[in-house]
Amino acid sequence: MNRTTEKRYMFQTRLDPAVRQFRLWDTSDLMHPDVTAELSQKFPWYEYADGRFEIINRVKLWRTLTGDNAYDIDF
């Protein structure tokens, strides 16, 4: 239960899906600037290298979920 005013997101991964888990949600806002802002968000406890590695992993996950292998965040 979220008892704050902050938005939180959850990703669910199916380990043995019967269908390819690819764009199974509303994709009308995939290119919205908020998506890039959320995926590139940094936290103060990240060191530089760890923070960059975290963002790279988020981009890889997003590429897998959307099927857009060219997606990147200004790097």
Side-chain angles (χ1 to χ4, degrees), residues 2 4-5 8 10 13 22-23 27 46 49 51-52 54 56 61 64 68 71 73 75:
N2 185 6
T4 68
T5 58
R8 295 190 300 179
M10 180 183 80
T13 305
F22 174 74
R23 291 190 182 188
T27 59
Y46 286 160
R52 179 153 166 70
E54 172 66 24
I56 288 170
L61 175 63
T64 300
D68 181 4
Y71 181 81
I73 301 178
F75 290 129

Side-chain angles (χ1 to χ4, degrees), residues 20-22 59-69:
R20 185 171 180 210
Q21 304 299 293
F22 174 74
V59 169
K60 287 180 180 180
L61 175 63
W62 191 249
R63 287 177 180 174
T64 300
L65 292 173
T66 61
D68 181 4
N69 292 329

Side-chain angles (χ1 to χ4, degrees), residues 17-54:
V19 216
R20 185 171 180 210
Q21 304 299 293
F22 174 74
R23 291 190 182 188
L24 299 177
W25 68 91
D26 177 15
T27 59
S28 62
D29 60 349
L30 283 181
M31 301 313 261
H32 195 279
D34 288 348
V35 171
T36 301
E38 196 66 36
L39 291 174
S40 62
Q41 182 179 5
K42 296 177 182 169
F43 296 100
W45 57 85
Y46 286 160
E47 294 177 4
Y48 178 77
D50 292 337
R52 179 153 166 70
F53 186 63
E54 172 66 24

